[in-house]
Amino acid sequence: MTRSPHQRSRRSVVLGATLVAALAGGLLIALPGGASAAPSGLADDFNGDGYRDLATGAPGAVAGGKAKAGAVVVTYGSSSGISASRHKSTSQSSSGVPGSPETSDRFGTELAHGDLNRDGYGDLVVGTPLEDVGSDVDGGSVTILWGGSSGLSGGTAISDPNASGHDRFGQSLAVGDFTGDGKPDLAVGSTGKEVWIFKGGFTKSAGAAGKLRFDAKIESGAYPKGAVHLAAGDFDDDGSDDVVVGSSVGNVVHRGGPAGPTPQTQVGTGYAGALAVADFDRDGHDDLVVGTDSAPVLDQTAKGGYVTVFYGGGAGVTTTRNTVLTQDSAGVPGADESYDLFGGALAAGDVNADGYPDLAVGAGFESIGTASHTGMVWVLRGGASGLTGTGAQAFNQGTAGVPGANESSDVFGGAVHLADHDKDGRADLSVGAAGENSDDGAVWVLRGSTAGVTVTGAVSFGASSVGIGESGNDPMFGDVLSGS
């Protein structure tokens, strides 16, 4: 899942005067028992018990006594789904994690997952783009947290190969097999015009087996320039994952191959929105979804943002076959209004087990009644003809059965995620609202069903429920959910 930087820049991340106890080490609460001796191999099953887990960033959390040093929290999947009672938090003050917490590092600003060392346990990649590296202010860092039978434990730093050439290393991340050798690689973006590929064959002691870089054909410069978003997908079905680089000049698709990615096409123009990848029409080629949440600035397609599906094919992503969906599209609840940020967050998954991936769309700045920027989430259906507004669902904190209430600046839907956490074959919808309770933040989980996402059994939990101190600290729990 990726989110628009517009949402981040508009949120309050100011630390209050009162500090709470630091995140000392990796806090483990009621880890699910019986993790399998033969791990599942799922990319986001961090303890190998066969259930997909949920990783959530709290980049404003206190760690090691340092304000806004940041933390990540894993809540574990189970037969009953996600619960705050089964969680583990990690920061740079945790044992075995490289680096040390510093004020305003914001560890957990970006997340990606994959079984990088191919031991059967999912690993979590954490981007900390505002970390100072020596005298390099906001140089940025990337850390791999390794999965195991007890969940995430220890980590390995991925060094910036060109620290003097850019800032904010780790501002975007993606995992995929970009060289086609069957091993997962890691793509890392920064404010530079190049993207680095760290090659598969990772080990805990040495990190990547090698590295290469490619010219992403984008603008470099101060954020939000550079590679703002990254996504992976095999759009031409050639066995190598392609890389999509979202930037201030649009989204550039680079075809994967043994020598590394090469440019294929550019889709969309102007400011980079969120990205999602799935084969929505099941034709054997991944499709690319681009969220354009700043439409009033860029064009008049929609005032409150829109999403565009660019379909894959034998030649890769095509610009001639695409679908544009807004809040005014047939079947989509709501109405297009200026600066809703519809498309500011995206995630793909099959919520009703019909075999077609669906799309979750967040609009964190949607206003409802007198609650401004309270936020809303839609689920759009995939099918044989691709993504459609027909049968779309919409949820906010005022929806019957959804915990909470619509309040100004909650930013519900600022992050979204779709994954099957209870092994019933249907993806569950997770929603982050980093602005909930004055930037304490919270996460909601709504289960998938044969009829789509259901509010039956919906749960929500805030920062304090998973060991993240709240009072006066603005942890912004739920600001990012690990990519689907």
Side-chain angles (χ1 to χ4, degrees):
M1 186 281 302
T2 60
R3 299 152 299 140
S4 166
H6 280 273
Q7 293 176 190
R8 301 177 208 167
S9 63
R10 292 172 185 163
R11 294 178 186 161
S12 169
V13 293
V14 178
L15 184 73
T18 304
L19 298 181
V20 297
L23 285 166
L27 180 64
L28 174 62
I29 303 293
L31 185 67
S36 173
S40 69
L42 295 170
D44 51 358
D45 179 7
F46 304 117
N47 65 347
D49 65 353
Y51 292 95
R52 298 181 66 179
D53 306 317
L54 177 66
T56 302
V62 172
K66 303 296 184 180
K68 294 186 284 187
V72 296
V73 177
V74 171
T75 41
Y76 290 93
S78 71
S79 59
S80 57
I82 293 291
S83 169
S85 65
R86 301 181 299 273
H87 71 266
K88 187 174 186 178
S89 61
T90 304
S91 73
Q92 287 182 300
S93 65
S94 300
S95 176
V97 176
S100 58
E102 299 167 320
T103 300
S104 298
D105 274 353
R106 300 183 65 79
F107 180 83
T109 294
E110 291 295 330
L111 300 175
H113 59 252
D115 183 7
L116 292 174
N117 61 350
R118 299 190 296 166
D119 64 352
Y121 297 98
D123 309 308
L124 184 67
V125 188
V126 182
T128 312
L130 296 182
E131 177 150 27
D132 296 343
V133 182
S135 60
D136 185 7
V137 176
D138 294 347
S141 69
V142 173
T143 306
I144 301 173
L145 303 178
W146 301 106
S149 60
S150 297
L152 298 177
S153 177
T156 300
I158 300 298
S159 298
D160 185 349
N162 186 30
S164 63
H166 51 240
D167 287 323
R168 295 179 59 95
F169 183 69
Q171 74 176 15
S172 54
L173 304 167
V175 174
D177 180 10
F178 304 118
T179 59
D181 63 358
K183 302 173 184 177
D185 309 309
L186 171 63
V188 180
S190 67
T191 58
K193 64 179 181 179
E194 80 280 1
V195 170
W196 284 89
I197 302 293
F198 295 89
K199 299 177 70 174
F202 286 82
T203 65
K204 294 182 180 181
S205 58
K211 57 183 178 289
L212 57 87
R213 67 176 175 179
F214 65 93
D215 183 349
K217 306 300 181 183
I218 58 176
E219 289 183 331
S220 61
Y223 182 81
K225 292 187 178 180
V228 179
H229 297 303
L230 292 171
D234 189 359
F235 304 111
D236 54 8
D237 192 29
D238 68 349
S240 296
D241 282 325
D242 310 310
V243 187
V244 186
V245 183
S247 77
S248 58
V249 295
N251 306 278
V252 185
V253 182
H254 300 260
R255 300 181 79 165
T262 56
Q264 185 244 321
T265 190
Q266 178 171 321
V267 293
T269 58
Y271 197 79
L275 305 173
V277 174
D279 183 5
F280 294 102
D281 56 3
R282 288 181 56 195
D283 68 350
H285 303 90
D286 280 336
D287 309 313
L288 171 65
V289 185
V290 176
T292 305
D293 66 359
S294 52
V297 177
L298 300 176
D299 56 48
Q300 295 302 313
T301 301
K303 296 177 291 184
Y306 57 98
V307 296
T308 307
V309 188
F310 297 94
Y311 292 94
V317 172
T318 176
T319 58
T320 57
R321 181 188 172 212
N322 60 73
T323 301
V324 178
L325 293 164
T326 77
Q327 289 186 66
D328 284 345
S329 296
V332 178
D336 178 37
E337 301 163 321
S338 293
Y339 300 106
D340 283 345
L341 301 194
F342 181 84
L346 301 172
D350 183 1
V351 301
N352 60 353
D354 66 351
Y356 293 96
D358 308 302
L359 182 73
V361 181
F365 274 25
E366 175 83 9
S367 295
I368 301 172
T370 59
S372 62
H373 299 171
T374 187
M376 193 163 176
V377 173
W378 291 256
V379 177
L380 309 179
R381 297 294 176 82
S385 298
L387 204 64
T388 177
T390 301
Q393 298 176 277
F395 303 92
N396 59 65
Q397 290 185 72
T399 302
V402 175
N406 291 322
E407 302 164 316
S408 293
S409 301
D410 280 348
V411 200
F412 180 88
V416 293
H417 180 77
L418 286 172
D420 178 11
H421 297 296
D422 55 8
K423 286 203 300 188
D424 67 353
R426 297 179 285 268
D428 308 311
L429 171 65
S430 298
V431 181
E436 177 77 9
N437 295 332
S438 301
D439 289 345
D440 287 342
V443 170
W444 286 252
V445 183
L446 283 64
R447 307 280 283 273
S449 76
T450 54
V453 173
T454 177
V455 298
T456 301
V459 299
S460 68
F461 45 92
S464 63
S465 299
V466 291
I468 303 294
E470 293 179 340
S471 180
N473 290 287
D474 302 338
M476 298 183 70
F477 176 69
D479 187 57
V480 57
L481 304 173
S482 185
S484 59

